[in-house]
Amino acid sequence: MDAPTRYILVVAHTGRQDSLEAGVQVCSQLIEAGVVPVLSEDERRDVLAARPSFHDVAVLGVDVQPNELELVIVLGGDGTILRAAELIRGCSAPLLGINLGHVGFLAESERDDLALAVARGLAKDYEVEERMTLSARVKLGKEVVYESWALNEATVEKASRERMLEVVIEVDGRPMSSFGCDGVVMSTPTGSTAYSFSAGGPVVWPGVAALLLVPLSAHALFARPLVVDADSSLAVELLDRTGGAGILWCDGRRAYDLPPGARVVVRRSPIPVRLARLHPGPFTDRLVHKFNLPVTGWRGPADRD
């Protein structure tokens, strides 16, 4: 009996030359291993323009469905990984991120290790780590008018530079505080090193089951970052006393306009994102490496030896 066909999705920013070259290299390595590379229609067109001999490259959603994928190889920074997670939302295939010169917190390997990383992906020599995601729901009165999800954060932002938002924040169905602000970030631990970090929120280890809420430029005495239980619900209501409108952004990719009076409710989603890990290790080491933190002089615990 013939072995089942293996399908691996390759996600790359093919509008950039370095990413296009990496995509061609990965597809070539997959084809040589007898695996069918799968790309989006646009990226397949770019790859075939660079390498016309790649006849067996499949198109996602046309030739191969997301639930048929074994693995997703992502070439780029965290933004490309977020796009890949969106493409296969709800499927079991893990994402193997290969960084192409960005901070790349979610990426697992660097450009110099590309061939080795692909080889380990082909050999299924990786561990799978699940990351919590958020569900975001917009309500107007009792009606749900929009639903989306996020791996990093769901952010309510002001729609106009001239006018701040007046909001009430809520935790577990109880009001917490009201203030004027530029917005509110609601984040997963994964997103604690993204927009939440830039806004002054805490860094939370990915294994911690929690949700974060970080106000943006709030005009209030009490507008501190909050860390709540992962099973809690967070809500932001836009007050209509100033007429300020807002925008909901999910991972900076999906947007929805919020009129005054809108209510945004964020909870833990039951659907995680699965990451393929080649080098499982302490998150502390990842922080030190990605931010180039100074640790010179550290000797370790006295009882280590």
Side-chain angles (χ1 to χ4, degrees), residues 89-138:
R89 175 70 172 161
C91 299
S92 61
L95 307 175
L96 175 57
I98 300 173
N99 192 29
L100 298 183
H102 309 278
V103 174
F105 246 98
L106 294 170
E108 184 61 15
S109 191
E110 301 298 326
R111 176 70 170 86
D112 294 343
D113 302 321
L114 178 58
L116 177 59
V118 174
R120 291 187 61 180
L122 286 165
K124 301 183 181 179
D125 180 19
Y126 52 78
E127 296 182 9
V128 176
E129 176 184 340
E130 292 193 343
R131 292 290 183 91
M132 179 176 70
T133 63
L134 303 175
S135 68
R137 175 179 292 183
V138 179

Side-chain angles (χ1 to χ4, degrees), residues 74-289:
V74 187
L75 306 171
D78 286 352
T80 311
I81 292 178
L82 292 173
R83 178 162 62 89
E86 187 175 22
L87 287 172
I88 65 158
R89 175 70 172 161
C91 299
S92 61
L95 307 175
L96 175 57
I98 300 173
N99 192 29
L100 298 183
H102 309 278
V103 174
F105 246 98
L106 294 170
E108 184 61 15
S109 191
E110 301 298 326
R111 176 70 170 86
D112 294 343
D113 302 321
L114 178 58
L116 177 59
V118 174
R120 291 187 61 180
L122 286 165
K124 301 183 181 179
D125 180 19
Y126 52 78
E127 296 182 9
V128 176
E129 176 184 340
E130 292 193 343
R131 292 290 183 91
M132 179 176 70
T133 63
L134 303 175
S135 68
R137 175 179 292 183
V138 179
K139 300 183 73 174
L140 287 175
K142 295 183 178 181
E143 182 184 1
V144 176
V145 295
Y146 179 74
E147 292 187 81
S148 190
W149 69 281
L151 171 59
N152 276 344
E153 72 280 309
T155 305
V156 175
E157 299 181 19
K158 64 181 183 180
S160 169
R161 291 182 60 187
E162 295 80 17
R163 182 174 293 176
M164 73 172 60
L165 289 177
E166 289 284 343
V167 303
V168 175
I169 59 172
E170 171 194 299
V171 178
D172 292 331
R174 302 301 302 162
M176 186 79 185
S177 186
S178 172
F179 44 73
C181 62
D182 287 348
V184 179
V185 179
M186 291 166 283
S187 166
T188 64
T190 298
S192 72
T193 51
Y195 195 174
S196 172
F197 178 84
S198 300
V203 174
V204 179
W205 267 233
V208 176
L211 301 178
L212 289 71
L213 185 149
V214 182
L216 300 173
S217 303
H219 293 241
L221 181 62
F222 183 87
R224 301 299 184 188
L226 304 177
V227 180
V228 302
D229 187 90
D231 293 325
S232 291
S233 66
L234 301 172
V236 178
E237 293 186 0
L238 275 62
L239 302 179
D240 55 12
R241 61 191 180 207
T242 64
I247 301 175
L248 171 66
W249 283 98
C250 292
D251 283 339
R253 296 187 50 79
R254 297 170 294 281
Y256 184 81
D257 291 334
L258 301 170
R263 173 179 168 84
V264 179
V265 182
V266 169
R267 293 185 173 91
R268 179 180 191 166
S269 168
I271 303 174
V273 166
R274 293 161 54 85
L275 301 178
R277 289 302 190 201
L278 304 179
H279 313 289
F283 182 66
T284 309
D285 293 351
R286 187 175 290 266
L287 279 176
V288 170
H289 173 67

